[in-house]
Amino acid sequence: MERKIVLSLFYMGIITAIVGIVITTFAYYGFFRREVEENLVHECRLVAESYDKLSSPDELDLFSGEDFRITLIDKDGNVLYESDADHLTMTNHLDRPEIRAAAEEGTGSDTRFSDTLGTEDHYYAVRLDDNSILRVSIQTDSIIALFERSLLIILIVIIGIIIVSLIISVKLTGKLIAPLKRIPEILEKNIPVTDAEIYPEVVPLVEEIRNARNAQSEMRQEFTANVSHELKTPLTSISGYAELIESGMAQGEDSVKFAGKIKNESARMLALIGDILRLSELDSIGDTPLADEIDLKAVAEDCRERLTQQAEKRGIIMTVSGESSAVTGSRTELGELVYNLVDNAIKYNRENGNIEIKISEKKLTVADTGLGIPQESIPRIFERFYRIDKSRSRAKGGTGLGLSIVRHIAEHHGAKIDVESTLGVGTSITVTFR
Ligand code: ADP
């Protein structure tokens, strides 16, 4: 951005300067030309007034100085007098615009470039009382010659302007950008925007970044607190059972039972740690592009196979229906997504319930005949550690992270999740891919 502003300011300076030079040159040229033409008219009138008093045209020599050239032409176009000897050979003067105009209207003028373009001739002619025509002319530098002559000065001025523009644009940009460069420091040191001396236009942005940062840090703290709490619960049980066994209070049958409990609680902890690690892995994967073509039906079939035993324990029947449908994604992640949805459909189903996994064009639905989810909880079930019934989830070995993982994977795949649920009837969760 800094470079862009410097360059814009710099170009602006240069363009303004060049336009300025061109306009000034033209204005100066116009002024100079007017001055020349006025002098010419003046001189011509002066000569014309004195003409009567001359006894022969050759006396016009008196008037032609170094600058002016005087020509006298009779009404037929023949040259009667010419102050510049070189032009004596010229004839046929009636075709000159200034002569023709003077013959017809009394006065006439014209300006013509010479062959070299370096000079131009200005003519002014008047018709005299005897119908002969008096013409005065002067030669000046043309605009091109004027330009050429001042080229060195123009060049020096342009180089000067380039240097000055560059210095000014760098300084100005530095000044413009300085308040923006302070934004990281303002965020880091938590300086209030009212004391921050930044542009009012960027205040909303700074506040938004600050709010997002605060929310993120709050979320992190909450997650840490939740994780600690979730780990503490099984560990407390484990140490309690172990103490009972250690003290000899639990013996024989009991100690076997408690060992079993210790094993279950450890399994829960392992599951929890596994889910936490997976979530953090998914976090770090971020937006890595996905390239494989995966058949949703094959993923569903595979998942049904893996969970059959678990479903059968509760007399639940699982069916997979629909046609094959390919989506772009990761086989592992899609396997986890379907597994977590079907796992929940088993956990929160009634005994001898049904689960249907339906596949249609880029769409996968897991429908169960279970407890259902209260309407107000639907937006929250994808939050980390959110459970509708904590003890039920625990009893089923849930970690409260399954659906967070589902949401993460869906986001990674650009998929949308819809939940429909009726309490006591069942839940249907649909994932729609792009
Ligand atoms: P958990 O490990 O507790 O199952 P999840 O993140 O998978 O965690 O789900 C969060 C909560 O959403 C669950 O505790 C449960 O209350 C509710 N839930 C998820 N799936 C279903 C379902 N199919 N039927 C009813 N409730 C569900």
Side-chain angles (χ1 to χ4, degrees):
M1 180 171 99
E2 203 166 344
R3 216 179 103 96
K4 230 175 164 173
I5 298 178
V6 169
L7 283 180
S8 308
L9 285 173
F10 177 60
Y11 290 148
M12 216 165 75
I14 301 265
I15 289 169
T16 316
I18 289 176
V19 169
I21 288 174
V22 171
I23 290 176
T24 316
T25 308
F26 271 99
Y28 171 68
Y29 170 70
F31 174 76
F32 164 79
R33 201 174 147 155
R34 230 182 0 261
E35 187 84 2
V36 164
E37 280 163 6
E38 270 168 20
N39 278 342
L40 201 61
V41 172
H42 184 73
E43 177 74 13
C44 189
R45 293 240 164 93
L46 209 78
V47 179
E49 271 166 26
S50 318
Y51 177 73
D52 285 348
K53 295 166 194 124
L54 301 178
S55 46
S56 104
D58 285 339
E59 285 179 20
L60 285 168
D61 268 344
L62 290 171
F63 295 97
S64 64
E66 259 179 37
D67 299 335
F68 294 106
R69 203 181 111 202
I70 297 174
T71 315
L72 186 70
I73 300 133
D74 71 7
K75 64 181 193 311
D76 301 319
N78 303 312
V79 177
L80 300 177
Y81 169 82
E82 166 60 60
S83 63
D84 187 342
D86 292 351
H87 291 77
L88 268 175
T89 47
M90 294 194 320
T91 50
N92 202 11
H93 268 54
L94 270 186
D95 61 349
R96 306 292 153 92
E98 73 279 6
I99 306 281
R100 200 172 332 126
E104 284 166 11
E105 289 155 33
T107 62
S109 65
D110 193 29
T111 299
R112 290 193 284 277
F113 273 112
S114 68
D115 299 338
T116 55
L117 294 182
T119 56
E120 54 192 24
D121 294 305
H122 305 266
Y123 299 95
Y124 187 77
V126 290
R127 191 178 57 208
L128 301 172
D129 294 340
D130 60 0
N131 276 338
S132 59
I133 289 157
L134 177 75
R135 184 181 76 174
V136 177
S137 79
I138 190 168
Q139 197 169 55
T140 62
D141 279 336
S142 71
I143 188 162
I144 296 166
L146 251 164
F147 225 63
E148 270 172 8
R149 255 202 302 157
S150 29
L151 208 62
L152 188 69
I153 298 170
I154 291 175
L155 227 69
I156 292 170
V157 169
I158 287 182
I159 291 171
I161 287 169
I162 288 177
I163 295 169
V164 172
S165 294
L166 208 64
I167 295 171
I168 292 180
S169 45
V170 167
K171 286 226 154 123
L172 218 63
T173 307
K175 246 187 166 162
L176 268 170
I177 299 259
L180 295 180
K181 281 193 166 161
R182 292 192 48 227
I183 289 178
E185 188 197 331
I186 290 163
L187 287 169
E188 221 47 65
K189 295 191 178 157
N190 229 352
I191 301 170
V193 280
T194 42
D195 305 343
E197 284 168 26
I198 44 172
Y199 297 125
E201 289 84 351
V202 297
V203 167
L205 177 78
V206 171
E207 276 177 342
E208 205 172 306
I209 296 174
R210 190 168 280 167
N211 289 344
R213 279 183 159 204
N214 288 345
Q216 221 173 21
S217 114
E218 245 169 61
M219 237 171 70
R220 223 174 294 138
Q221 273 169 11
E222 200 184 324
F223 183 67
T224 315
N226 275 331
V227 168
S228 317
H229 178 76
E230 296 287 335
L231 287 173
K232 216 173 149 189
T233 318
L235 263 179
T236 314
S237 310
I238 289 172
S239 99
Y241 295 131
E243 239 170 71
L244 287 176
I245 296 171
E246 188 191 32
S247 66
M249 273 170 79
Q251 283 184 338
E253 278 283 294
D254 274 353
S255 68
V256 174
K257 199 175 91 191
F258 288 157
K261 292 203 182 218
I262 288 173
K263 195 187 86 182
N264 283 345
E265 292 294 329
S266 314
R268 234 159 65 70
M269 278 183 72
L270 281 176
L272 190 66
I273 290 167
D275 278 356
I276 292 168
L277 286 178
R278 187 61 185 138
L279 264 179
S280 104
E281 247 171 43
L282 287 170
D283 262 338
S284 64
I285 286 174
D287 290 336
T288 41
L290 298 158
D292 295 339
E293 287 290 297
I294 313 291
D295 177 16
L296 284 180
K297 181 118 188 242
V299 175
E301 298 276 13
D302 183 50
C303 179
R304 186 184 59 162
E305 227 158 85
R306 282 161 65 201
L307 284 164
T308 307
Q309 240 189 349
Q310 207 170 309
E312 273 173 358
K313 274 190 207 157
R314 305 194 60 214
I316 294 166
I317 295 169
M318 281 194 287
T319 51
V320 175
S321 65
E323 297 296 314
S324 287
S325 173
V327 296
T328 311
S330 142
R331 171 81 214 210
T332 323
E333 288 182 26
L334 290 176
E336 280 175 275
L337 180 142
V338 181
Y339 185 97
N340 279 321
L341 290 179
V342 178
D343 185 43
N344 279 350
I346 298 171
K347 282 192 297 195
Y348 305 107
N349 216 322
R350 59 176 163 80
E351 297 288 318
N352 306 317
N354 287 310
I355 294 172
E356 204 186 346
I357 311 172
K358 281 176 279 192
I359 313 291
S360 56
E361 186 57 24
K362 299 218 181 272
K363 223 184 227 188
L364 176 137
T365 302
V366 178
D368 64 49
T369 52
L371 304 166
I373 303 166
Q375 215 57 35
E376 67 274 12
S377 296
I378 290 181
R380 301 204 57 195
I381 53 173
F382 295 96
E383 287 173 17
R384 294 173 179 192
F385 296 115
Y386 181 82
R387 297 147 163 137
I388 296 162
D389 179 346
K390 234 182 184 133
S391 54
R392 187 184 181 94
S393 161
R394 283 232 176 88
K396 300 279 183 185
T399 59
L401 293 175
L403 288 183
S404 304
I405 293 175
V406 167
R407 185 181 61 181
H408 236 295
I409 293 171
E411 274 170 7
H412 189 199
H413 285 74
K416 177 170 80 81
I417 307 176
D418 291 300
V419 181
E420 272 174 45
S421 188
T422 313
L423 275 179
V425 176
T427 302
S428 159
I429 299 183
T430 302
V431 186
T432 312
F433 293 86
R434 276 198 296 219

